[in-house]
Amino acid sequence: GAVVSQHPSRVICKSGTSVKIECRSLDFQATTMFWYRQFPKKSLMLMATSNEGSKATYEQGVEKDKFLINHASLTLSTLTVTSAHPEDSSFYICSAQTALDGKLFFGSGTQLSVL
Amino acid sequence: GESVGLHLPTLSVQEGDNSIINCAYSNSASDYFIWYKQESGKGPQFIIDIRSNMDKRQGQRVTVLLNKTVKHLSLQIAATQPGDSAVYFCAELRNTGNQFYFGTGTSLTVIP
């Protein structure tokens, strides 16, 4: 199957710093990439949808100035958590939808811990 | 509101038995469904998909059944193994856009 690489897998940072998470589709072009948060034993919560070359569409309640998304190419999207606070601690996951057949594949996730 | 939901939050099966995980959806406009497996601390892994023009699709040890009449989707795992222990959830794509909706998930535990 298609591979989506997400990096880093784990990050610990101090409150007030910014953290960037990368999501790459390694062997396919992705028309759309999605970013999610997931809390323990809960389902995925969609944060935003991004299309290459255009502004991301954020879900209601998600602060776009807090969670900056850049989708510079058909294979790369980044999520930057700005001025992170402890309440931002979570498991963040990206997914990419193939341009070929619309299938959705996920990255391995990033566990963010803000001290 | 409309939702994608699972009938059972947890499921325990004996190693070697078959597992059936169910998913109910409420939007008749959905035309593409995917089952994912998620192990603790990892991203969801694509298992199998099915489009609305089919009612059954088989993979390696897995079968997905789609009943559009009652808006029900199931994942069958044959000869369940300890490595199958994980959370399984379904996703539906509504034909009105490229948005996927996810169920809560069923935690499958395989008892050796």
Side-chain angles (χ1 to χ4, degrees):
Chain A
V3 178
V4 176
S5 174
Q6 185 172 342
H7 180 80
S9 58
R10 179 178 292 273
V11 59
I12 302 172
C13 68
K14 292 182 179 180
S15 185
T17 60
S18 294
V19 176
K20 179 185 282 188
I21 303 170
E22 289 191 352
C23 182
R24 294 179 184 272
S25 55
L26 296 185
D27 50 2
F28 66 97
Q29 290 187 330
T31 51
T32 307
M33 288 187 171
F34 304 88
W35 288 95
Y36 310 84
R37 271 183 90 162
Q38 188 176 35
F39 294 100
K41 300 190 185 299
K42 297 292 185 183
S43 185
L44 302 170
M45 184 180 75
L46 180 66
M47 298 174 65
T49 303
S50 73
N51 292 290
E52 182 263 339
S54 61
K55 289 184 179 180
T57 301
Y58 290 82
E59 295 298 299
Q60 192 173 14
V62 179
E63 300 177 56
K64 61 180 181 181
D65 295 330
K66 172 77 170 174
F67 299 99
L68 300 178
I69 292 173
N70 184 285
H71 195 155
S73 73
L74 284 172
T75 60
L76 174 64
S77 177
T78 61
L79 168 68
T80 301
V81 183
T82 63
S83 187
H85 290 285
E87 58 264 32
D88 298 324
S89 298
S90 188
F91 192 56
Y92 292 86
I93 307 174
C94 71
S95 69
Q97 187 172 20
T98 65
L100 181 64
D101 54 13
K103 292 185 178 181
L104 191 69
F105 296 93
F106 287 86
S108 54
T110 297
Q111 182 65 52
L112 171 64
S113 299
V114 185
L115 304 178
Chain B
E2 296 178 312
S3 65
V4 178
L6 297 180
H7 290 310
L8 298 173
T10 61
L11 177 66
S12 295
V13 297
Q14 288 290 140
E15 181 178 358
D17 287 352
N18 297 333
S19 303
I20 299 176
I21 301 170
N22 297 302
C23 182
Y25 65 97
S26 54
N27 193 317
S28 57
S30 297
D31 60 357
Y32 180 49
F33 304 86
I34 304 176
W35 277 102
Y36 292 95
K37 171 186 179 183
Q38 187 176 23
E39 298 175 71
S40 181
K42 297 183 179 179
Q45 177 186 356
F46 183 104
I47 300 174
I48 191 168
D49 62 347
I50 189 168
R51 298 193 183 273
S52 60
N53 61 349
M54 304 173 70
D55 53 21
K56 180 179 179 179
R57 190 151 189 249
Q58 288 184 293
Q60 187 176 17
R61 282 202 306 120
V62 295
T63 301
V64 55
L65 298 177
L66 176 61
N67 186 329
K68 294 180 286 294
T69 302
V70 296
K71 300 186 185 67
H72 184 267
L73 189 71
S74 69
L75 176 70
Q76 299 178 5
I77 305 173
T80 314
Q81 304 167 359
D84 295 327
S85 294
V87 173
Y88 291 81
F89 57 92
C90 63
E92 62 170 313
L93 178 65
R94 298 176 184 175
N95 59 17
T96 53
N98 68 344
Q99 189 68 272
F100 281 89
Y101 295 83
F102 298 93
T104 305
T106 292
S107 178
L108 174 66
T109 301
V110 181
I111 303 168

